[in-house]
Amino acid sequence: MVITDCIDSVWIPRPRMCVLKREEGETYGFNLRVERDRHGHVIRNVVLGGIAARGGLRDGDRLLEVNNCYVDDVPHAEVAKKIKLSGQQLCMLVLDGEEYEQAVAGGQDLRLLSTILDEEPCKPPRLCHITKEPGSGLGISFTALEGEKGRFSVNLVKGSAAEKAGVRKGDHLVWMNGVMVSHLTHSALSRMMKKCENSITILVIDSESEKIYMQRKMPILPAMATPNKLPFRARKLRLISGPEGYGFLLRLEKTPSGNAYHVLREVDSGSPAERAGMQDGEILLEVNGESVDSLRHDEIVERVRLSGKQVFITTISQSGLGFYNQLGLSPLLFCDSETAEKKMEEINVELSPKGNNGLSGSRLCTVKKDPLGFGFRLDSLPQRRGTFISEVGSGGSGQRAGLAVGDVVLEVNGNNVEEKYLADVINLVKNGGSCISLLVMERTSYDKQKEKERSASNVTDS
């Protein structure tokens, strides 16, 4: 008799990488839907012979990642927005519909599926804006990699403008001023450099990460990048209506180029619009997260009116819009909420001496997930009240949003978490989508406030 061990084979879903590239005016040739009785973001209506079909998309596939960013738990509207903002190239990680439903039913962690294709971690590319310095110029040059057409390594002057803009020794050049360099000769690249006046904007990546992208047959796109020293950013503003409304006018105006934009005008002094940081002449990009590109003027006004007592808008200066148009990028790729949040802090103090949840000195921070996550860690101590920020990644989304190590977390997306367990707070963050709102407070101030409350309570009880 021969006895052998019977080992059940473990079924592992196999996601697919689909890279789509379209020309100006073309569509990708698929729809993204949310369907009743089905989980996830569903790929539908794949056009036979179209760009999506040629890229490997199939009807019923579920979308897991867009441009290296996990989206399965992200609201559908935000996923659609990511696809739109990607421009003319799109990188998607998808899973067959039946395999997806099987994985969900089996309780598998869908986030881990991407590690099947990406066993080695890689860093995202960096979009760096370099401005010439008197005497030293840009401080950067490029060398063609021997035997590899259209590939260039970076030569960097230590302490130069390029280094200050986030370019690093050993980087490889991917893109310059909106042009992919893969089809350029060294002489053509040199001519581009000479034509630039005071600045250039380049997309770079470290050589090791580039190898991983190439192994996975993934394009390296600006939509995947972390921004460095960009001269302009779109800004997200939150306006709380006063007795006389928001205090600004919206006008449809034509530029000398003939393009029409929705322009913010006549910002009243002391109005909610001014306190939120709105500036006369800015271009309106979004209302409550919805792009205004395809909306008529009266439709935008109606959306603001229906918002009630508060509205979220995204704006950019006219110079900023020109900058992104020249690069061929959407200004919505890189938004800055820091100014808006500082203004909101002032608004909260003005409306109520104790802020949103009764604590003065609290800060509302909007943190947007990037390819490296939210850029912070949470922790708690048994002997101390509250979940707190234990780590903030340098240059990450958490730091840009204004989070600091030691901050106590009061609310997550409007939900008070002061008495919740750490695991519950982490779940709220994980389930909050790709953009979360944290109300936080510096630890010393928080402890002092709570001590005052306890003292006041003891006096009342006695």
Side-chain angles (χ1 to χ4, degrees):
M1 182 182 292
V2 179
I3 301 175
T4 60
D5 292 331
C6 180
I7 302 175
D8 293 333
S9 61
V10 178
W11 173 76
I12 301 176
R14 303 294 301 185
R16 308 188 315 278
M17 184 68 66
C18 299
V19 177
L20 313 184
K21 185 176 181 179
R22 63 181 175 87
E23 299 298 328
E24 190 70 39
E26 285 186 313
T27 65
Y28 285 120
F30 75 94
N31 294 136
L32 188 68
R33 295 169 51 175
V34 173
E35 299 181 356
R36 186 178 298 175
D37 301 327
R38 285 186 173 86
H39 297 93
H41 305 286
V42 188
I43 304 293
R44 290 297 188 202
N45 302 328
V46 180
V47 176
L48 185 65
I51 294 171
R54 296 198 302 271
L57 276 187
R58 297 195 292 259
D59 188 78
D61 281 343
R62 302 301 199 278
L63 183 58
L64 299 182
E65 291 184 1
V66 173
N67 293 334
N68 226 18
C69 182
Y70 184 76
V71 297
D72 185 67
D73 58 357
V74 174
H76 187 74
E78 291 184 34
V79 180
K81 180 178 174 181
K82 283 181 180 293
I83 292 173
K84 182 179 179 181
L85 294 182
S86 184
Q88 292 175 236
Q89 268 192 294
L90 178 62
C91 186
M92 307 169 72
L93 185 69
V94 299
L95 185 62
D96 174 80
E98 290 186 9
E99 289 193 359
Y100 178 92
E101 294 292 352
Q102 205 172 335
V104 170
Q108 291 200 25
D109 187 348
L110 296 172
R111 280 182 180 273
L112 298 179
L113 293 183
S114 62
T115 62
I116 296 172
L117 297 182
D118 186 15
E119 295 178 357
E120 297 180 78
C122 62
K123 298 175 183 176
R126 280 159 280 121
L127 190 64
C128 305
H129 183 77
I130 311 169
T131 303
K132 283 183 179 178
E133 292 184 344
S136 58
L138 297 170
I140 192 173
S141 62
F142 305 100
T143 300
L145 295 175
E146 190 173 349
E148 299 186 61
K149 184 181 177 182
R151 298 190 64 216
F152 305 91
S153 63
V154 170
N155 305 311
L156 194 64
V157 177
K158 190 170 180 59
S160 65
E163 187 175 60
K164 293 173 185 175
V167 184
R168 299 169 192 160
K169 184 179 179 180
D171 279 345
H172 285 181
L173 179 67
V174 178
W175 178 97
M176 179 187 290
N177 288 347
V179 177
M180 299 295 287
V181 302
S182 56
H183 64 283
L184 295 182
T185 62
H186 189 265
S187 58
L189 186 63
S190 299
R191 287 195 296 270
M192 281 186 68
M193 286 282 290
K194 288 178 181 177
K195 285 182 180 178
C196 75
E197 296 179 354
N198 296 317
S199 63
I200 60 171
T201 306
I202 61 176
L203 184 69
V204 294
I205 191 169
D206 68 275
S207 58
E208 290 303 312
S209 293
E210 184 189 44
K211 287 179 185 176
I212 297 172
Y213 276 84
M214 293 176 71
Q215 288 167 2
R216 297 184 69 189
K217 298 182 179 179
M218 285 177 58
I220 301 171
L221 306 175
M224 301 173 175
T226 54
N228 289 271
K229 299 287 186 179
L230 296 186
F232 303 99
R233 295 278 195 96
R235 299 185 306 138
K236 291 185 178 293
L237 309 178
R238 180 188 179 196
L239 281 64
I240 297 178
S241 179
E244 298 182 4
Y246 294 113
F248 73 95
L249 294 179
L250 182 66
R251 290 179 177 168
L252 186 63
E253 299 181 6
K254 276 193 175 181
T255 62
S257 64
N259 295 321
Y261 297 106
H262 303 281
V263 185
L264 305 169
R265 292 295 188 190
E266 298 185 29
V267 181
D268 294 338
S269 177
S271 67
E274 184 187 60
R275 293 198 299 271
M278 185 184 292
Q279 297 173 8
D280 184 82
E282 285 187 299
I283 306 294
L284 180 66
L285 301 176
E286 291 181 322
V287 174
N288 294 329
E290 181 183 5
S291 172
V292 301
D293 277 352
S294 59
L295 298 179
R296 299 192 310 271
H297 188 76
D298 60 318
E299 291 175 328
I300 299 172
V301 173
E302 182 68 5
R303 278 160 173 73
V304 173
R305 188 185 67 79
L306 293 175
S307 293
K309 291 295 183 181
Q310 69 172 5
V311 64
F312 294 85
I313 64 172
T314 308
T315 70
I316 194 167
S317 67
Q318 296 192 31
S319 299
L321 185 62
F323 170 77
Y324 286 101
N325 284 344
Q326 286 181 349
L327 295 180
L329 301 177
S330 168
L332 292 171
L333 274 176
F334 309 109
C335 291
D336 185 2
S337 60
E338 181 179 355
T339 303
E341 300 308 336
K342 286 180 179 178
K343 294 296 181 182
M344 270 310 303
E345 190 177 331
E346 296 171 7
I347 292 171
N348 288 336
V349 171
E350 184 173 323
L351 292 179
S352 170
K354 293 190 176 182
N356 284 1
N357 74 333
L359 292 176
S360 63
S362 58
R363 310 190 313 279
L364 187 65
C365 300
T366 301
V367 191
K368 185 178 180 182
K369 187 183 291 183
D370 60 25
L372 296 180
F374 286 116
F376 68 89
R377 292 184 183 276
L378 297 173
D379 207 344
S380 65
L381 296 174
Q383 68 271 29
R384 302 189 76 174
R385 179 196 296 261
T387 299
F388 63 90
I389 306 293
S390 61
E391 184 180 337
V392 179
S394 177
S397 183
Q399 186 183 66
R400 294 195 300 272
L403 294 179
V405 173
D407 283 343
V408 179
V409 182
L410 310 177
E411 294 180 1
V412 176
N413 289 337
N415 299 300
N416 188 281
V417 297
E418 290 180 83
E419 302 297 334
K420 289 187 179 294
Y421 291 109
L422 174 63
D424 296 328
V425 180
I426 291 174
N427 281 334
L428 278 173
V429 171
K430 284 183 176 179
N431 297 327
S434 63
C435 187
I436 58 172
S437 174
L438 299 181
L439 189 69
V440 299
M441 190 174 186
E442 190 270 329
R443 164 59 74 178
T444 304
S445 300
Y446 179 80
D447 288 343
K448 286 180 179 178
Q449 290 271 7
K450 288 301 177 183
E451 185 58 38
K452 286 180 182 178
E453 289 179 11
R454 283 192 290 271
S455 299
S457 177
N458 290 336
V459 171
T460 303
D461 292 342
S462 62

